Amino acid sequence: MQEGSEMAFSRVYERYNEALRGIIFAVVKDDAVAEEVLQDVFMKIWNNSSSYDVKQGRFFTWALNISRNAAIDHLRSKAHKNNLKNLSRDYFVHIPEDATDEMEVQTDSLGIMKWVNKLKPTCIKIIDLIFFKGFTFKDGATELNIPEGTLKTRHRKCVNELRNVMGE
């Protein structure tokens, strides 16, 4: 793909589109938006394939980060915020605290939930807020009612704990 092979790009799409769409959906919570963001993600992957370096990590991790960042960027976009202003209060629904909702279904297709669920409840909540729901550290700290620096430290520890659990 880095050499411009459309066939290689097609294989990358076939292999990763469902998993990346699941990550995007976990953040944006809208099928149509997830599809749009997914198209943008694959354009970024194609256009920036030369920036991927095998020595820096797995391709899937690189693509996953592009997907997650694109989904978060969409939520922070002016267009998205303007759409929210047009919605009635009647359309908003509280997201359940247990992970038996769409997030679990989408992320479980990646096999991530089995690893996340092995963590302490505090870590599950932090990873859910920061990674899956796309909160900034500032917003996450407000949500959890803790200082931003404390959240960053706990997040780092939780990610390291997740790495250890996945390595076992």
Side-chain angles (χ1 to χ4, degrees):
M1 185 178 76
Q2 289 180 317
E3 296 171 0
S5 169
E6 291 180 18
M7 184 188 284
F9 178 72
S10 178
R11 285 191 300 241
V12 166
Y13 180 83
E14 288 173 18
R15 181 174 288 171
Y16 296 111
N17 82 80
E18 288 181 31
L20 298 179
R21 187 187 174 287
I23 289 297
I24 294 166
F25 182 83
V27 174
V28 300
K29 303 286 190 224
D30 183 299
D31 285 322
V33 171
E35 286 296 327
E36 286 179 35
V37 173
L38 182 65
Q39 284 182 351
D40 292 341
V41 163
F42 275 101
M43 289 303 298
K44 287 177 183 178
I45 288 172
W46 174 256
N47 291 330
N48 299 312
S49 63
S50 62
S51 70
Y52 170 68
D53 182 2
V54 158
K55 296 173 191 161
Q56 297 293 321
R58 294 181 14 200
F59 177 81
F60 177 72
T61 305
W62 179 75
L64 181 133
N65 283 326
I66 292 172
S67 301
R68 182 180 155 274
N69 291 340
I72 291 169
D73 288 347
H74 173 78
L75 291 182
R76 292 178 181 162
S77 72
K78 192 173 188 175
H80 175 72
K81 289 177 181 175
N82 286 339
N83 281 340
L84 289 179
K85 290 178 185 175
N86 295 330
L87 294 177
S88 164
R89 283 189 332 171
D90 301 333
Y91 292 106
F92 291 94
V93 180
H94 175 68
I95 298 171
E97 288 301 313
D98 62 358
T100 59
D101 61 359
E102 293 170 353
M103 183 196 83
E104 182 173 314
V105 172
Q106 293 295 324
T107 57
D108 197 42
S109 66
L110 294 174
I112 293 174
M113 287 306 297
K114 70 179 179 182
W115 304 111
V116 173
N117 285 333
K118 291 182 179 182
L119 301 175
K120 297 177 218 163
T122 304
C123 284
I124 293 171
K125 181 129 183 116
I126 289 171
I127 289 174
D128 178 45
L129 283 176
I130 302 300
F131 190 81
F132 294 113
K133 293 184 179 162
F135 278 52
T136 63
F137 283 110
K138 181 179 180 183
D139 293 339
T142 301
E143 177 76 15
L144 297 173
N145 198 26
I146 59 175
E148 187 176 346
T150 302
L151 177 59
K152 287 179 180 181
T153 300
R154 289 180 184 173
H155 176 261
R156 191 175 317 111
K157 287 179 182 178
C158 291
V159 169
N160 286 334
E161 186 178 322
L162 181 60
R163 284 183 182 130
N164 291 336
V165 167
M166 291 177 77
E168 293 173 357

